Amino acid sequence: MELKEQENKKVVGFIGTGIMGASMAGHLLDHGYEVNVFNRTKSRADLLVSKGAVWQDSPKLVAEQSDIIITMLGYPADVEEVYFGADGLLQNARSNAVLIDMTTSSPALAKRIEAEAGNRGLKALDAPVSGGDVGAREARLSIMVGGSEQAYNAILPLFMLIGKNIVHQGEAGAGQFTKMCNQIAIASNMIGVSEALAYAKKAGLEPSKVLKSIEAGAAGSWSLSNLGPRIINGDFAPGFYVKHFVKDIKIAIESADEMGLPLPGLALARSLYEQLISLGEENSGTQALYKVIFKE
């Protein structure tokens, strides 16, 4: 789908230019959007500014000077502050602005944001993503969207610049609920990937050869193909932080508890990742779970 001319003229605000956000905002710049940026650590936006993004000193200034505002933050508390704070987006956004939270956050918070946005004549979407740093860099993220279909359709051309698998899941909060499904599936899969490679090592096999065999069969998964090689190479740098994954697991377990749904596999993953944090690995990538499973 070609980017509509009228959409290309919209000014986009992007708050949160970390590992994934910087790449996402960069794609918008590359496709002709004027982009205002803000990040708590200013230096993380330097590359974007060098490419033409306009630095703003606060979320309020981003809101005042943007038609579409995307947030890609760390925790639900960050989202709440940026949206509901006195200098936040809801109080300072332009009339008819569209607010898009792409943070993995609480479904209940997404519903609150959408309701308050509606009260102020604004539109809001929750649109968390999956695909990690690689998916963000290569503009092939999976985007799970909750909110009005009208707002979704208006923003779809923009989403298509940063993602390949874009699905409107339903009303406000549906995007976040879908992302929880994604994280639940990843959590147990990451245990399996770590255990399989630990088993290969103990059996005296060459892990890279094992990976070549099993990733093409029924055991194949994104984590196996993308994070398996990092584990084998001892690369535990974050594509997605352990600390953020534990946050996501907590959200999923809390919402499942509210629905009366036990998730024993996710509970096990949580305990293992908490062990990993106790080893000081909170800023490592999720593939560092291998360090809990396999000890030299």
Side-chain angles (χ1 to χ4, degrees):
M1 182 183 294
E2 293 293 328
L3 184 64
K4 297 178 183 177
E5 182 180 354
Q6 64 268 31
E7 286 300 319
N8 195 37
K9 294 178 181 177
K10 298 288 188 182
V11 178
V12 178
F14 207 107
I15 299 174
T17 56
I19 289 174
M20 296 177 67
S23 293
M24 295 159 70
H27 295 312
L28 303 183
L29 282 169
D30 292 341
H31 285 86
Y33 276 96
E34 180 180 340
V35 181
N36 292 308
V37 295
F38 172 78
N39 192 70
R40 283 187 300 189
T41 303
K42 186 177 180 180
S43 61
R44 292 188 177 178
D46 285 349
L47 182 58
L48 290 169
V49 172
S50 73
K51 292 174 63 175
V54 179
W55 171 261
Q56 302 292 347
D57 286 326
S58 68
K60 177 181 179 181
L61 291 174
V62 172
E64 291 174 345
Q65 300 183 55
S66 306
D67 303 301
I68 300 166
I69 306 164
I70 297 172
T71 51
M72 188 69 175
L73 307 170
Y75 297 90
D78 301 323
V79 174
E80 184 155 16
E81 179 183 355
V82 166
Y83 279 83
F84 289 95
D87 293 328
L89 303 183
L90 288 166
Q91 290 198 36
N92 297 287
R94 292 176 174 180
S95 177
N96 297 316
V98 182
L99 312 178
I100 308 167
D101 185 29
M102 304 190 81
T103 314
T104 298
S105 184
S106 158
L109 180 54
K111 293 178 182 180
R112 280 180 56 208
I113 290 171
E114 198 260 357
E116 185 59 26
N119 291 339
R120 295 174 179 269
L122 310 169
K123 296 181 176 65
L125 297 170
D126 52 289
V129 301
S130 181
D133 57 334
V134 175
R137 284 197 305 271
E138 298 180 357
R140 39 183 194 83
L141 292 167
S142 178
I143 307 176
M144 311 154 220
V145 189
S148 81
E149 189 168 4
Q150 180 185 18
Y152 166 78
N153 287 331
I155 297 298
L156 183 57
L158 182 150
F159 284 149
M160 293 179 71
L161 301 181
I162 58 179
K164 294 299 184 188
N165 180 30
I166 306 152
V167 181
H168 181 237
Q169 295 289 341
E171 63 185 17
Q176 297 294 357
F177 277 121
T178 304
K179 182 59 187 290
M180 290 302 104
C181 295
N182 184 83
Q183 302 305 73
I184 290 166
I186 287 174
S188 294
N189 182 235
M190 201 63 240
I191 297 173
V193 169
S194 297
E195 290 187 339
L197 293 178
Y199 184 91
K201 186 86 169 175
K202 280 289 189 181
L205 301 172
E206 187 174 328
S208 59
K209 287 186 176 180
V210 173
L211 182 62
K212 185 176 180 179
S213 289
I214 68 175
E215 69 177 343
S221 69
W222 187 96
S223 293
L224 188 65
S225 295
N226 289 274
L227 299 182
R230 297 190 191 187
I231 291 172
I232 292 168
N233 292 326
D235 177 7
F236 301 106
F240 190 70
Y241 287 112
V242 166
K243 61 186 178 184
H244 289 163
F245 195 50
V246 170
K247 173 262 298 182
D248 296 350
I249 292 173
K250 180 175 182 289
I251 293 170
I253 288 177
E254 288 176 350
S255 59
D257 286 345
E258 291 170 2
M259 294 184 283
L261 177 67
L263 298 174
L266 190 61
L268 173 60
R270 181 182 189 177
S271 69
L272 293 173
Y273 272 103
E274 286 174 345
Q275 289 180 46
L276 188 59
I277 287 177
S278 73
L279 297 175
E281 298 283 351
E282 64 273 10
N283 290 314
S284 296
T286 52
Q287 70 274 17
L289 186 67
Y290 180 79
K291 294 184 179 183
V292 173
I293 304 297
F294 184 81
K295 298 181 175 65
E296 298 286 355

